[in-house]
Amino acid sequence: MARQDFVFTSESVAEGHPDKLCDRISDEVLDYMLAIEPNARVACETFATSSLVVIGGEVGLSDAERLKDVMGRVSEIARKAIRDIGYEQEKFHWNTCHVLNFLHQQSAHIAQGVDKDGAGDQGIMFGYAVDETPEFMPAPIQYAHAVLRRLAEARKAGAAPDLRPDAKSQLSVRYEGGKPVEVTSIVLSTQHAHEGQTSDDIRAIVEPYIREVLPRGWITGRTEWWVNPTGTFVIGGPDGDAGLTGRKIIVDTYGGAAPHGGGAFSGKDPTKVDRSAAYAARYLAKNVVAAGLARRCTLQLSYAIGVARPLSIYIDTHGTGVLPEEAIERAVAEVMDLTPRGIRTHLGLNRPIYARTSAYGHFGRAPDADGGFSWERTDLVEALKKAV
């Protein structure tokens, strides 16, 4: 029997966090290439530090001239991303930082397996869903994201001009009877404009926004607040700490409430099952819960490089399922083609929809009209009910 009464903590980081800035740049390069060619191959990594951004990895287009054009635009792509995030610091400014591009053409040995509709690599991928929030996400990570997203909106709209791009949040949520009922502690560290601003000054700025996004009644007189607990946080972003693509995989997924596979997401085109199969696993787990087949579902897929079909499908409903897990495993395999090509086609992944995923989580987001976050749809509910 799973625990019913406990406190669980998850964290999020803002779009200006150095690692998230790198995720954004990598995904902007990916989107630019997918806009040129839906079958573009991209594995883009970014490193950022004071006044410097380094981009590397492998890319591929069917037209060598168009690929050459992309290579010449990488610096511009990176600067636009940094500008949108909001970095205009003396030692990290979108217009003056050095951008080094070391992207190269994709290895033919990797391409040969993918070109035959196989997976781009071996690996294990997990999806998870739970009925404790409307988005079928664990509450701690869902609301940790919501806090930072709201602060970023206020900063960019000019409503909170003393805030700067780099920030982290952390929520400890108390569960009672298996359901989230209270926030026991709130940790918020955010970069700010002036040396003389105290923790109390920053709390006065951020508290109204935090109260706005958290469910009514979750903040109580017992809730502990830790806003900029070390004091001054003026030097932030890559000037304060180096960043790297793919270093926030728990933030990207379920905040530690569920397993994570071996790979990160950002900068990878959807032939890489690290990304596309993780999206498919979330999609299926969410539809299982939305269909009422379980209140909680963990789903694992595994693949081998160059092999199209998944090697295994595993489901655990944590004692909440209305049917044996084996029956649900058979049903999910029936309602969706889980080959890499089948996933890309079903979810419409061969399009420029990835830069928006680089901050505030890849899951628990509303599907967009242009196909973004398509893996958050619940359009398999009836098919799953029929299949079981």
Side-chain angles (χ1 to χ4, degrees):
M1 171 69 90
R3 291 183 65 186
Q4 298 295 298
D5 303 317
F6 56 92
V7 174
F8 192 83
T9 303
S10 293
E11 70 160 352
S12 179
V13 295
E15 62 198 69
H17 185 281
D19 295 332
K20 282 287 133 199
L21 178 140
C22 291
D23 285 346
R24 172 72 177 274
I25 292 172
S26 293
D27 276 335
E28 290 284 4
V29 172
L30 169 61
D31 279 356
Y32 188 86
M33 293 192 66
L34 288 175
I36 294 172
E37 184 175 305
N39 292 318
R41 301 289 160 74
V42 182
C44 177
E45 310 290 348
T46 303
F47 167 74
T49 187
S50 185
S51 298
L52 177 65
V53 173
V54 181
I55 302 169
E58 55 174 37
V59 295
L61 292 174
S62 60
D63 187 316
E65 287 303 313
R66 286 193 295 179
L67 182 58
K68 188 183 298 184
D69 175 68
V70 170
M71 294 297 196
R73 293 182 181 272
V74 167
S75 176
E76 176 188 349
I77 293 167
R79 293 184 192 282
K80 283 183 177 179
I82 298 167
R83 184 179 187 180
D84 182 68
I85 290 169
Y87 275 114
E88 296 186 340
Q89 298 171 192
E90 180 184 354
K91 294 185 179 179
F92 197 80
H93 193 294
W94 63 269
N95 196 38
T96 59
C97 67
H98 300 285
V99 180
L100 304 181
N101 174 20
F102 294 102
L103 290 169
H104 61 85
Q105 191 165 6
Q106 183 187 43
S107 161
H109 291 170
I110 293 176
Q112 65 186 356
V114 179
D115 291 341
K116 296 177 182 177
D117 292 335
D121 201 352
Q122 70 177 50
I124 57 172
M125 298 82 205
F126 286 93
Y128 182 73
V130 63
D131 66 356
E132 65 190 53
T133 62
E135 299 83 7
F136 297 98
M137 284 287 287
I141 188 65
Q142 188 69 13
Y143 290 108
H145 288 321
V147 165
L148 293 181
R149 190 162 57 243
R150 184 68 187 95
L151 292 176
E153 290 169 355
R155 172 176 62 84
K156 290 183 172 183
D162 284 344
L163 299 186
R164 293 295 181 263
D166 196 356
K168 300 179 76 172
S169 66
Q170 184 172 288
L171 294 182
S172 298
V173 177
R174 184 172 68 84
Y175 286 70
E176 190 175 277
K179 296 294 184 182
V181 296
E182 177 187 16
V183 174
T184 61
S185 68
I186 298 168
V187 182
L188 190 286
S189 295
T190 181
Q191 184 186 11
H192 55 94
H194 307 295
E195 292 279 352
Q197 291 174 306
T198 66
S199 297
D200 289 339
D201 294 332
I202 303 305
R203 176 172 172 174
I205 296 170
V206 303
E207 183 172 346
Y209 298 108
I210 295 173
R211 289 184 177 275
E212 177 186 324
V213 300
L214 294 184
R216 185 183 299 274
W218 280 25
I219 298 177
T220 72
R222 297 181 297 274
T223 302
E224 295 183 348
W225 289 77
W226 302 98
V227 176
N228 282 14
T230 62
T232 303
F233 183 9
V234 172
I235 300 172
D239 184 32
D241 190 11
L244 194 66
T245 299
R247 206 158 54 175
K248 286 291 179 286
I249 59 177
I250 301 303
V251 170
D252 286 341
T253 54
Y254 308 103
H260 190 287
F265 301 154
S266 288
K268 297 178 181 178
D269 74 74
T271 66
K272 279 73 170 173
V273 284
D274 279 346
R275 183 167 218 158
S276 55
Y279 290 171
R282 160 64 178 173
Y283 175 59
L284 290 170
K286 183 175 182 179
N287 276 270
V288 165
V289 176
L293 302 181
R295 289 186 292 106
R296 182 181 170 205
C297 178
T298 300
L299 188 150
Q300 185 203 56
L301 301 171
S302 69
Y303 291 85
I305 187 168
V307 179
R309 62 176 179 82
L311 305 185
S312 66
I313 301 173
Y314 166 82
I315 284 178
D316 183 359
T317 58
H318 308 277
T320 70
V322 300
L323 293 167
E325 279 94 344
E326 294 86 349
I328 304 176
E329 288 168 355
R330 290 192 295 269
V332 299
E334 181 180 324
V335 301
M336 184 176 181
D337 178 357
L338 289 171
T339 64
R341 179 182 289 275
I343 293 170
R344 297 196 303 273
T345 300
H346 189 111
L347 296 178
L349 298 182
N350 283 43
R351 50 181 131 185
I353 55 174
Y354 297 104
R356 70 194 74 171
T357 70
S358 62
Y360 315 120
H362 292 245
F363 308 127
R365 311 281 288 272
D368 293 326
D370 66 352
F373 300 103
S374 58
W375 48 93
E376 291 298 309
R377 302 189 313 244
T378 53
D379 54 354
L380 285 185
V381 164
E382 295 307 318
L384 280 169
K385 289 179 179 178
K386 183 179 179 180
V388 298

